[in-house]
Coordinates of all heavy atoms in Angstrom, one line a residue:
G935 N 153.9 82.5 101.2 CA 155.0 83.1 101.9 C 154.8 84.6 102.2 O 153.7 85.1 102.1
P936 N 155.9 85.3 102.7 CA 155.7 86.7 103.0 C 155.3 87.5 101.8 O 155.7 87.2 100.6 CB 157.2 87.1 103.4 CG 157.8 85.8 103.7 CD 157.2 84.8 102.8
V937 N 154.5 88.5 102.1 CA 154.0 89.5 101.0 C 154.5 90.8 101.3 O 154.5 91.4 102.5 CB 152.4 89.4 101.0 CG1 151.8 90.5 100.1 CG2 151.9 88.1 100.6
A938 N 154.9 91.5 100.3 CA 155.4 92.9 100.5 C 154.4 93.8 101.0 O 153.2 93.7 100.7 CB 156.0 93.4 99.1
V939 N 154.9 94.7 102.0 CA 153.9 95.6 102.6 C 153.0 96.3 101.7 O 151.8 96.4 102.0 CB 154.7 96.5 103.6 CG1 153.7 97.5 104.2 CG2 155.4 95.7 104.7
P940 N 153.5 96.9 100.6 CA 152.6 97.6 99.8 C 151.5 96.9 99.1 O 150.5 97.3 98.7 CB 153.6 98.1 98.7 CG 155.0 98.2 99.3 CD 154.9 97.0 100.2
D941 N 151.7 95.5 99.0 CA 150.7 94.6 98.5 C 149.7 94.1 99.4 O 148.6 93.6 99.1 CB 151.4 93.3 97.9 CG 152.1 93.6 96.6 OD1 151.7 94.6 95.9 OD2 153.1 92.8 96.3
L942 N 149.9 94.3 100.8 CA 149.0 93.7 101.8 C 147.6 94.3 101.7 O 146.6 93.6 101.8 CB 149.6 93.9 103.1 CG 150.6 92.9 103.6 CD1 151.2 93.3 104.9 CD2 149.9 91.5 103.7
P943 N 147.5 95.7 101.6 CA 146.1 96.2 101.6 C 145.2 95.6 100.5 O 144.0 95.4 100.7 CB 146.3 97.8 101.5 CG 147.6 98.0 102.1 CD 148.5 96.8 101.6
A944 N 145.8 95.5 99.2 CA 145.1 94.9 98.2 C 144.8 93.5 98.4 O 143.7 93.0 98.0 CB 145.8 95.2 96.8
L945 N 145.7 92.8 98.9 CA 145.5 91.3 99.3 C 144.4 91.2 100.2 O 143.5 90.3 100.1 CB 146.8 90.8 99.9 CG 146.7 89.3 100.3 CD1 146.6 88.4 99.0 CD2 148.0 88.9 101.1
Y946 N 144.3 92.0 101.3 CA 143.2 92.0 102.2 C 141.9 92.3 101.5 O 140.9 91.6 101.6 CB 143.4 93.0 103.3 CG 144.3 92.5 104.4 CD1 145.4 93.3 104.8 CD2 144.1 91.4 105.2 CE1 146.2 93.0 105.9 CE2 144.9 91.0 106.3 CZ 145.9 91.9 106.6 OH 146.7 91.5 107.7
T947 N 141.9 93.4 100.7 CA 140.6 93.9 100.1 C 140.1 92.9 99.2 O 138.8 92.7 99.1 CB 141.0 95.2 99.3 OG1 141.5 96.2 100.2 CG2 139.8 95.7 98.6
G948 N 140.9 92.1 98.5 CA 140.4 91.1 97.5 C 139.8 89.9 98.1 O 139.3 89.1 97.4
A949 N 140.0 89.6 99.4 CA 139.6 88.4 100.1 C 138.0 88.4 100.3 O 137.5 89.4 100.6 CB 140.3 88.2 101.4
L950 N 137.5 87.2 100.2 CA 136.1 87.0 100.6 C 135.9 87.2 102.1 O 134.9 87.9 102.5 CB 135.5 85.7 100.2 CG 135.4 85.3 98.7 CD1 135.0 83.9 98.5 CD2 134.3 86.3 98.1
L951 N 136.8 86.7 102.9 CA 136.9 86.9 104.3 C 138.3 86.6 104.8 O 139.1 86.0 104.1 CB 135.8 86.1 105.0 CG 135.9 84.5 104.9 CD1 136.8 83.9 106.1 CD2 134.5 83.9 105.1
F952 N 138.5 87.0 106.0 CA 139.8 86.9 106.6 C 139.6 86.0 107.9 O 138.7 86.2 108.6 CB 140.4 88.2 107.0 CG 141.7 88.0 107.8 CD1 142.9 87.9 107.1 CD2 141.8 88.1 109.1 CE1 144.1 87.7 107.7 CE2 143.0 88.1 109.8 CZ 144.2 87.8 109.1
V953 N 140.5 85.1 108.1 CA 140.4 84.1 109.3 C 141.6 84.1 110.0 O 142.7 84.1 109.5 CB 139.9 82.7 108.8 CG1 141.0 82.1 107.8 CG2 139.7 81.8 110.0
F954 N 141.4 84.1 111.3 CA 142.6 84.2 112.2 C 142.4 83.3 113.5 O 141.6 83.6 114.3 CB 142.8 85.7 112.7 CG 144.2 86.1 113.2 CD1 145.3 86.1 112.3 CD2 144.4 86.3 114.5 CE1 146.5 86.4 112.8 CE2 145.6 86.7 115.0 CZ 146.7 86.7 114.1
P955 N 143.1 82.1 113.5 CA 142.7 81.1 114.4 C 143.6 81.0 115.7 O 143.7 80.1 116.5 CB 142.9 79.8 113.6 CG 144.1 80.1 112.8 CD 143.9 81.5 112.4
S956 N 144.4 82.1 115.9 CA 145.5 82.1 116.9 C 145.0 81.8 118.3 O 143.9 82.2 118.7 CB 146.2 83.5 116.9 OG 147.3 83.4 117.8
R957 N 145.7 81.0 119.1 CA 145.4 80.8 120.5 C 145.9 81.8 121.4 O 145.4 81.9 122.5 CB 146.0 79.4 120.9 CG 145.5 78.2 120.2 CD 145.9 76.9 120.9 NE 145.2 75.8 120.3 CZ 145.8 74.9 119.3 NH1 146.9 75.2 118.9 NH2 145.1 74.0 118.9
C958 N 146.8 82.6 121.0 CA 147.4 83.7 121.9 C 148.0 84.8 121.1 O 148.7 84.5 120.2 CB 148.4 83.1 122.8 SG 149.0 84.2 124.1
E959 N 147.6 86.0 121.4 CA 148.1 87.2 120.8 C 148.3 88.3 121.8 O 147.5 88.5 122.6 CB 147.3 87.7 119.6 CG 147.2 86.8 118.4 CD 148.5 86.7 117.6 OE1 149.2 87.7 117.6 OE2 148.7 85.7 117.0
G960 N 149.5 89.1 121.7 CA 149.5 90.3 122.5 C 148.5 91.3 122.1 O 147.9 92.0 123.0
F961 N 148.3 91.3 120.8 CA 147.3 92.3 120.3 C 146.6 91.5 119.1 O 145.5 91.2 119.1 CB 147.8 93.6 119.9 CG 146.7 94.6 119.4 CD1 146.0 95.3 120.4 CD2 146.5 94.8 118.2 CE1 145.0 96.1 120.1 CE2 145.4 95.7 117.8 CZ 144.7 96.4 118.7
G962 N 147.3 91.3 118.0 CA 146.8 90.7 116.8 C 146.4 91.8 115.8 O 145.1 92.0 115.6
L963 N 147.3 92.4 115.1 CA 147.0 93.4 114.1 C 146.3 92.9 112.9 O 145.5 93.6 112.3 CB 148.2 94.2 113.8 CG 148.6 95.3 114.6 CD1 150.0 95.9 114.2 CD2 147.5 96.4 114.5
P964 N 146.6 91.7 112.3 CA 146.0 91.3 111.1 C 144.4 91.4 111.0 O 143.9 91.9 110.0 CB 146.5 89.9 110.9 CG 147.9 89.9 111.5 CD 147.7 90.8 112.7
P965 N 143.7 90.9 112.1 CA 142.3 91.1 112.0 C 141.8 92.6 111.9 O 140.9 92.9 111.2 CB 141.7 90.5 113.3 CG 142.8 89.5 113.7 CD 144.1 90.1 113.3
L966 N 142.6 93.4 112.6 CA 142.2 94.9 112.5 C 142.6 95.4 111.2 O 141.8 96.2 110.6 CB 143.0 95.6 113.6 CG 142.6 97.0 113.9 CD1 141.1 97.1 114.4 CD2 143.5 97.7 114.9
E967 N 143.7 95.0 110.6 CA 144.1 95.5 109.2 C 143.0 95.0 108.2 O 142.7 95.7 107.3 CB 145.4 94.9 108.9 CG 146.6 95.5 109.7 CD 147.9 94.7 109.6 OE1 147.9 93.6 108.9 OE2 148.9 95.3 110.1
A968 N 142.6 93.8 108.4 CA 141.5 93.3 107.5 C 140.2 94.1 107.5 O 139.7 94.5 106.5 CB 141.3 91.7 107.7
M969 N 139.8 94.4 108.8 CA 138.6 95.1 109.0 C 138.8 96.5 108.3 O 137.8 97.1 107.8 CB 138.2 95.2 110.4 CG 137.7 93.9 111.0 SD 136.9 94.0 112.6 CE 138.3 94.4 113.6
A970 N 140.0 97.2 108.5 CA 140.2 98.4 107.9 C 140.1 98.4 106.5 O 139.9 99.5 105.8 CB 141.6 99.0 108.4
C971 N 140.4 97.2 105.9 CA 140.3 97.1 104.4 C 138.9 96.6 104.0 O 138.7 96.4 102.8 CB 141.3 96.1 103.9 SG 143.0 96.7 104.0
G972 N 137.9 96.6 104.9 CA 136.5 96.3 104.6 C 136.2 94.8 104.4 O 135.3 94.5 103.8
V973 N 137.1 94.0 105.0 CA 136.9 92.5 104.8 C 136.2 91.9 106.1 O 136.6 92.2 107.2 CB 138.3 91.9 104.6 CG1 138.1 90.4 104.3 CG2 139.0 92.5 103.4
P974 N 135.2 91.0 105.9 CA 134.7 90.3 107.0 C 135.7 89.4 107.7 O 136.6 88.9 107.1 CB 133.6 89.4 106.4 CG 133.3 90.0 105.1 CD 134.5 90.7 104.7
V975 N 135.6 89.3 109.1 CA 136.7 88.6 109.8 C 136.1 87.5 110.7 O 135.1 87.8 111.3 CB 137.4 89.6 110.7 CG1 138.2 89.0 111.8 CG2 138.3 90.6 110.0
V976 N 136.6 86.3 110.6 CA 136.4 85.3 111.6 C 137.6 85.0 112.3 O 138.8 84.9 111.8 CB 136.0 83.9 110.7 CG1 135.8 82.7 111.7 CG2 134.9 84.1 109.8
C977 N 137.4 85.1 113.7 CA 138.6 85.3 114.6 C 138.4 84.4 115.8 O 137.3 84.2 116.3 CB 138.6 86.8 114.9 SG 140.1 87.2 116.0
S978 N 139.5 83.9 116.4 CA 139.3 83.1 117.6 C 139.0 83.9 118.8 O 139.4 85.1 118.8 CB 140.6 82.3 117.8 OG 141.7 83.2 118.2
Q979 N 138.4 83.3 119.6 CA 138.0 83.9 121.0 C 139.0 83.6 122.0 O 138.7 82.9 122.9 CB 136.5 83.5 121.3 CG 135.9 84.4 122.4 CD 134.4 84.0 122.6 OE1 133.9 83.0 122.0 NE2 133.7 84.8 123.4
A980 N 140.2 84.3 121.9 CA 141.2 83.9 122.8 C 142.1 85.1 123.1 O 142.2 86.0 122.2 CB 142.1 82.8 122.1

């Protein structure tokens, strides 16, 4: 479910990788947030 904003950076940092399969995004901040936290990103080409 939803995670409190103060917990998100640590949640990202602790992941082995971040995956984002969206078919459409105006921008898509979560992959950028994950990269800012030093996490490898697997992302859709869309």
Side-chain angles (χ1 to χ4, degrees):
V937 174
V939 172
D941 286 333
L942 276 173
L945 179 67
Y946 279 124
T947 302
L950 290 175
L951 63 87
F952 178 80
V953 59
F954 201 67
S956 183
R957 292 191 174 98
C958 186
E959 293 289 331
F961 186 82
L963 272 174
L966 193 61
E967 293 168 351
M969 289 192 292
C971 293
V973 181
V975 168
V976 178
C977 183
S978 71
Q979 192 169 8

